[in-house]
Amino acid sequence: MNFEDFNLKKPLLSALSELEFEEATPIQIQTYPLILSGKDVVGVAQTGTGKTIAYLLPILQQLAYSDQRQPRVVVVVPTRELVMQVVNEVKKLTPYLSIRAVGIYGGTNIKTQKQNVYDGCDILVATAGRLYDLIMSGVLRMKEVQKFIIDEVDEMFNLGFRPQLTAIMETLPPKRQNLMFSATLLPEIEEVIKHFFWQPEIITIAPHGTPLEQIIQIGYPVANFNTKLNLLAHLLKNSEVMNKVLVFVSTKKMADQIFNHIDKLFPTEISIIHSNKSQNQRFNAVKLFQDGTFRILIATDVVARGIDIQNITHVINFDTPAEPSDYIHRIGRTGRADKPGTSITFITENEGIYLDQIEELMKKLIDLLDFPEEVPVSSIVTLEERITPLFDKPYLNEKPVKAKKAAPSKAKVNAGKKNMRPKEKKFIAKGWKK
C-alpha cells in the first residue's frame, strides 16, 4: 500500500515524496485509520518497522494551524537521542506546514527549555523526567493536550520512569486520545493500559516483537571477560565484512573498559556512547557513526531504543542481556528496511540462563558456533566474575540469637552520678547530653 492511498493532504504527500517514502509498512497501514478515528491505540511491532511515522502521519493530517502556547500533542520517549530523532522526523514531514515542534530532555539547561515551551509549540517531545519537572514548575500546562503518545514504553519502565509517567498521565484532560507504541508488551504496561486507556485497539504486527527474518543470529560460548575482548578484536579485524558494527554492553564501566582496549587496535575507527557522556558527545558519536566516520560504536542500551541508524551490518552483544526484550531491541538496530543483518552474542556459562529466556521469547534457537582456535583463551578472571552471586549466599539460614545485656542496676547508676562534678549533675538535671 502506497502513502498516496492514505488520502493525505498535499503538503504531507510532497514531504513524503522528497523523502522518497513510497510504500507504507504494516504497522503504518493498520494504525493509520484507527488513529484518525480518535480511538486509543496500542501498537506492538519490532524496531525498524516505522512506528514513529505510524503515529506522526495521522496526527499531522489532523493538526490544524494554531498560535496557542500550550501543546496539543505530547510525545514521551525514554532517551534524549530519541527526543531529537522524533523532533527531526516532525521537521522532515512538515516543511510545507506551520507546525511548531519542541524537544525537551534532561542533562541541559532547564531555563532555556522553559523559555522554548513558554514561547509556544504544537507538538512537544520529551523524556519523562524533564516533562514532569516542567509540569511541576508551572511553565507547562497539560489542559490543552488532545493526543498523548508514549513511545518505547517498556524501556521507560526499565529505566524506572513509571512513577513520573503515571503522575504525568494524571495531569492530562479526561477527553484525549492515548497512543502507545513498543516492541514488547510487558504485564506492567498492560496495567497502565487498563487504568488510563479507553477501550484501546491493540495492533500486534510481530508476535512478542520477534526479530525480522533477515537478521542472522549466531552466538559464541566464551570463557570470561578477557576472552571476550580477544574474540571481539579478532572479529573486528575483518573490516570488509564488518564495515558498520554496533557493540552493546550492559554497563558504563564495561563500555569504558572495552573502548580503552579496542581503541589501541583501531584508534581512528571507534567511538563510545553512554549516559555519563555529555549531550554533545553523545550526539556527535551517533552522527559520526551514522555518516561512516567511525566504523565501530560501543554503546550501552541507551541507543538500543528507537534510534534509527542506517546500514548497520553487525550488532555484537558483548554480554548476553538479562532481559529478553533488551536483546530484541539490540539486534533490531540491524536488518532494517528489508536489508540483511547479523547479530553476534558472546555467552559465558553464567549467561546461559539468559540465552534460554531469549530463545523462549523468540520461539527460535540461536546458532552456537565453535570458539575460533586462533583466538587465545585468557585465564585471567576479573573481580566481578569472582564475586559469588547473591542467590548463592545462605540468606535464609537462621542467625544465632544473641542474649541481651541486662540493664545496669540503680546502685551502679547512682554510683556513677556520685563521681560526677557538680556542673555535670546540673546539665544532667536539665536534660542536656554531653
Side-chain angles (χ1 to χ4, degrees), residues 7 29 36 44 49 54 71 79 82 85 103 110 125-126 160 248 265 279 332 337 340 351 390 394 413:
N7 294 323
I29 295 170
L36 278 183
V44 183
T49 54
T79 64
L82 196 50
Q85 180 176 301
I110 192 172
V125 187
F248 276 115
L265 305 175
Q279 192 58 60
E351 294 170 335
L390 293 178
V413 174

mmCIF file of all heavy atoms in Angstrom, residues 7 29 36 44 49 54 71 79 82 85 103 110 125-126 160 248 265 279 332 337 340 351 390 394 413:
data_model
loop_
_atom_site.group_PDB
_atom_site.id
_atom_site.type_symbol
_atom_site.label_atom_id
_atom_site.label_comp_id
_atom_site.label_asym_id
_atom_site.label_seq_id
_atom_site.Cartn_x
_atom_site.Cartn_y
_atom_site.Cartn_z
ATOM 1 N N ASN A 7 -4.917 9.151 1.334
ATOM 2 C CA ASN A 7 -5.653 10.411 1.164
ATOM 3 C C ASN A 7 -5.073 11.527 2.044
ATOM 4 O O ASN A 7 -5.792 12.288 2.685
ATOM 5 C CB ASN A 7 -7.145 10.227 1.479
ATOM 6 C CG ASN A 7 -7.822 9.309 0.474
ATOM 7 O OD1 ASN A 7 -7.506 9.345 -0.717
ATOM 8 N ND2 ASN A 7 -8.743 8.492 0.950
ATOM 9 N N ILE A 29 0.016 0.926 8.062
ATOM 10 C CA ILE A 29 -1.252 0.654 7.369
ATOM 11 C C ILE A 29 -2.373 0.368 8.360
ATOM 12 O O ILE A 29 -3.494 0.878 8.212
ATOM 13 C CB ILE A 29 -1.077 -0.533 6.391
ATOM 14 C CG1 ILE A 29 -0.101 -0.157 5.270
ATOM 15 C CG2 ILE A 29 -2.418 -0.967 5.813
ATOM 16 C CD1 ILE A 29 0.321 -1.326 4.407
ATOM 17 N N LEU A 36 -6.838 8.044 13.129
ATOM 18 C CA LEU A 36 -7.688 9.088 12.553
ATOM 19 C C LEU A 36 -9.084 9.082 13.163
ATOM 20 O O LEU A 36 -9.715 10.121 13.309
ATOM 21 C CB LEU A 36 -7.797 8.905 11.039
ATOM 22 C CG LEU A 36 -6.668 9.457 10.168
ATOM 23 C CD1 LEU A 36 -6.999 9.247 8.700
ATOM 24 C CD2 LEU A 36 -6.417 10.928 10.440
ATOM 25 N N VAL A 44 2.187 -2.795 18.728
ATOM 26 C CA VAL A 44 3.310 -3.646 19.112
ATOM 27 C C VAL A 44 3.987 -4.137 17.834
ATOM 28 O O VAL A 44 3.391 -4.900 17.065
ATOM 29 C CB VAL A 44 2.849 -4.845 19.967
ATOM 30 C CG1 VAL A 44 4.054 -5.678 20.412
ATOM 31 C CG2 VAL A 44 2.055 -4.364 21.174
ATOM 32 N N THR A 49 10.358 -0.850 12.047
ATOM 33 C CA THR A 49 9.176 -1.064 11.203
ATOM 34 C C THR A 49 8.391 0.223 10.962
ATOM 35 O O THR A 49 7.300 0.168 10.406
ATOM 36 C CB THR A 49 8.258 -2.121 11.840
ATOM 37 O OG1 THR A 49 7.946 -1.729 13.186
ATOM 38 C CG2 THR A 49 8.928 -3.478 11.871
ATOM 39 N N ALA A 54 4.226 5.983 11.914
ATOM 40 C CA ALA A 54 2.880 5.436 12.085
ATOM 41 C C ALA A 54 1.992 6.340 12.924
ATOM 42 O O ALA A 54 0.796 6.475 12.653
ATOM 43 C CB ALA A 54 2.955 4.047 12.716
ATOM 44 N N PRO A 71 0.979 22.988 24.312
ATOM 45 C CA PRO A 71 0.974 21.958 23.266
ATOM 46 C C PRO A 71 -0.343 21.203 23.186
ATOM 47 O O PRO A 71 -1.013 20.982 24.184
ATOM 48 C CB PRO A 71 2.112 21.028 23.696
ATOM 49 C CG PRO A 71 2.218 21.206 25.171
ATOM 50 C CD PRO A 71 1.883 22.646 25.425
ATOM 51 N N THR A 79 14.737 8.327 25.896
ATOM 52 C CA THR A 79 16.093 8.876 25.867
ATOM 53 C C THR A 79 16.160 10.212 25.129
ATOM 54 O O THR A 79 15.275 10.560 24.342
ATOM 55 C CB THR A 79 17.074 7.903 25.176
ATOM 56 O OG1 THR A 79 16.685 7.747 23.792
ATOM 57 C CG2 THR A 79 17.067 6.550 25.855
ATOM 58 N N LEU A 82 16.354 9.875 21.310
ATOM 59 C CA LEU A 82 15.070 9.612 20.671
ATOM 60 C C LEU A 82 14.214 10.877 20.614
ATOM 61 O O LEU A 82 13.422 11.052 19.682
ATOM 62 C CB LEU A 82 14.336 8.504 21.433
ATOM 63 C CG LEU A 82 13.164 7.827 20.703
ATOM 64 C CD1 LEU A 82 13.579 7.396 19.316
ATOM 65 C CD2 LEU A 82 12.661 6.642 21.484
ATOM 66 N N GLN A 85 15.428 12.635 17.585
ATOM 67 C CA GLN A 85 15.053 11.908 16.373
ATOM 68 C C GLN A 85 13.596 12.166 16.015
ATOM 69 O O GLN A 85 13.267 12.402 14.843
ATOM 70 C CB GLN A 85 15.269 10.405 16.583
ATOM 71 C CG GLN A 85 14.900 9.570 15.362
ATOM 72 C CD GLN A 85 15.215 8.109 15.562
ATOM 73 O OE1 GLN A 85 16.371 7.762 15.804
ATOM 74 N NE2 GLN A 85 14.219 7.256 15.461
ATOM 75 N N GLY A 103 11.613 19.930 21.511
ATOM 76 C CA GLY A 103 12.107 18.770 22.261
ATOM 77 C C GLY A 103 12.720 19.200 23.575
ATOM 78 O O GLY A 103 13.485 20.175 23.619
ATOM 79 N N ILE A 110 17.707 23.832 32.034
ATOM 80 C CA ILE A 110 16.246 23.784 32.081
ATOM 81 C C ILE A 110 15.638 25.149 31.810
ATOM 82 O O ILE A 110 14.495 25.249 31.322
ATOM 83 C CB ILE A 110 15.768 23.222 33.445
ATOM 84 C CG1 ILE A 110 14.269 22.886 33.390
ATOM 85 C CG2 ILE A 110 16.066 24.198 34.567
ATOM 86 C CD1 ILE A 110 13.775 22.146 34.614
ATOM 87 N N VAL A 125 7.906 17.001 22.381
ATOM 88 C CA VAL A 125 8.548 15.693 22.522
ATOM 89 C C VAL A 125 9.481 15.773 23.724
ATOM 90 O O VAL A 125 10.308 16.690 23.813
ATOM 91 C CB VAL A 125 9.328 15.304 21.253
ATOM 92 C CG1 VAL A 125 9.841 13.871 21.362
ATOM 93 C CG2 VAL A 125 8.463 15.470 20.012
ATOM 94 N N ALA A 126 9.362 14.817 24.648
ATOM 95 C CA ALA A 126 10.087 14.962 25.916
ATOM 96 C C ALA A 126 10.426 13.612 26.515
ATOM 97 O O ALA A 126 9.774 12.607 26.240
ATOM 98 C CB ALA A 126 9.238 15.761 26.906
ATOM 99 N N GLY A 160 13.004 3.047 35.099
ATOM 100 C CA GLY A 160 12.438 3.485 36.366
ATOM 101 C C GLY A 160 11.576 4.728 36.280
ATOM 102 O O GLY A 160 11.389 5.424 37.286
ATOM 103 N N PHE A 248 27.154 -3.746 21.856
ATOM 104 C CA PHE A 248 26.339 -3.437 23.030
ATOM 105 C C PHE A 248 26.938 -4.063 24.285
ATOM 106 O O PHE A 248 27.387 -5.214 24.271
ATOM 107 C CB PHE A 248 24.918 -3.973 22.851
ATOM 108 C CG PHE A 248 24.029 -3.048 22.074
ATOM 109 C CD1 PHE A 248 23.533 -3.427 20.836
ATOM 110 C CD2 PHE A 248 23.691 -1.808 22.570
ATOM 111 C CE1 PHE A 248 22.712 -2.585 20.116
ATOM 112 C CE2 PHE A 248 22.872 -0.953 21.863
ATOM 113 C CZ PHE A 248 22.376 -1.341 20.632
ATOM 114 N N LEU A 265 43.774 -0.776 19.173
ATOM 115 C CA LEU A 265 43.880 -1.574 17.948
ATOM 116 C C LEU A 265 43.295 -0.843 16.747
ATOM 117 O O LEU A 265 43.787 -0.984 15.623
ATOM 118 C CB LEU A 265 43.172 -2.919 18.130
ATOM 119 C CG LEU A 265 43.624 -3.766 19.325
ATOM 120 C CD1 LEU A 265 42.749 -5.015 19.458
ATOM 121 C CD2 LEU A 265 45.086 -4.160 19.173
ATOM 122 N N GLN A 279 25.955 15.602 26.555
ATOM 123 C CA GLN A 279 24.976 15.542 25.479
ATOM 124 C C GLN A 279 25.613 15.738 24.114
ATOM 125 O O GLN A 279 25.302 15.035 23.152
ATOM 126 C CB GLN A 279 23.889 16.599 25.699
ATOM 127 C CG GLN A 279 22.672 16.429 24.807
ATOM 128 C CD GLN A 279 22.022 15.078 24.993
ATOM 129 O OE1 GLN A 279 21.589 14.731 26.065
ATOM 130 N NE2 GLN A 279 21.990 14.291 23.935
ATOM 131 N N GLY A 332 17.593 -5.298 16.827
ATOM 132 C CA GLY A 332 16.733 -4.557 15.907
ATOM 133 C C GLY A 332 17.416 -3.369 15.268
ATOM 134 O O GLY A 332 16.857 -2.750 14.360
ATOM 135 N N ALA A 337 14.757 -1.962 7.162
ATOM 136 C CA ALA A 337 14.356 -1.586 5.800
ATOM 137 C C ALA A 337 14.655 -2.714 4.814
ATOM 138 O O ALA A 337 15.166 -2.487 3.705
ATOM 139 C CB ALA A 337 15.058 -0.298 5.371
ATOM 140 N N PRO A 340 19.658 -7.143 4.911
ATOM 141 C CA PRO A 340 20.142 -8.212 5.798
ATOM 142 C C PRO A 340 21.047 -7.675 6.888
ATOM 143 O O PRO A 340 21.689 -6.629 6.738
ATOM 144 C CB PRO A 340 20.915 -9.139 4.843
ATOM 145 C CG PRO A 340 21.329 -8.248 3.709
ATOM 146 C CD PRO A 340 20.232 -7.223 3.558
ATOM 147 N N GLU A 351 25.783 -16.808 31.773
ATOM 148 C CA GLU A 351 24.782 -16.140 30.946
ATOM 149 C C GLU A 351 23.908 -17.104 30.161
ATOM 150 O O GLU A 351 23.023 -16.682 29.415
ATOM 151 C CB GLU A 351 25.472 -15.170 29.981
ATOM 152 C CG GLU A 351 26.158 -14.002 30.678
ATOM 153 C CD GLU A 351 27.033 -13.185 29.742
ATOM 154 O OE1 GLU A 351 27.487 -13.746 28.713
ATOM 155 O OE2 GLU A 351 27.267 -12.005 30.031
ATOM 156 N N LEU A 390 24.465 -13.283 44.539
ATOM 157 C CA LEU A 390 23.726 -13.086 45.784
ATOM 158 C C LEU A 390 22.854 -14.275 46.138
ATOM 159 O O LEU A 390 22.698 -14.615 47.297
ATOM 160 C CB LEU A 390 22.846 -11.832 45.659
ATOM 161 C CG LEU A 390 23.589 -10.503 45.545
ATOM 162 C CD1 LEU A 390 22.605 -9.370 45.384
ATOM 163 C CD2 LEU A 390 24.443 -10.273 46.783
ATOM 164 N N PRO A 394 23.733 -17.960 51.868
ATOM 165 C CA PRO A 394 22.694 -18.564 52.714
ATOM 166 C C PRO A 394 21.904 -17.515 53.491
ATOM 167 O O PRO A 394 21.995 -17.419 54.702
ATOM 168 C CB PRO A 394 23.510 -19.466 53.655
ATOM 169 C CG PRO A 394 24.820 -18.772 53.784
ATOM 170 C CD PRO A 394 25.086 -18.123 52.443
ATOM 171 N N VAL A 413 24.094 3.022 88.672
ATOM 172 C CA VAL A 413 23.778 4.339 88.121
ATOM 173 C C VAL A 413 24.051 5.432 89.141
ATOM 174 O O VAL A 413 24.659 6.461 88.845
ATOM 175 C CB VAL A 413 22.304 4.388 87.651
ATOM 176 C CG1 VAL A 413 21.941 5.815 87.225
ATOM 177 C CG2 VAL A 413 22.083 3.413 86.503
#
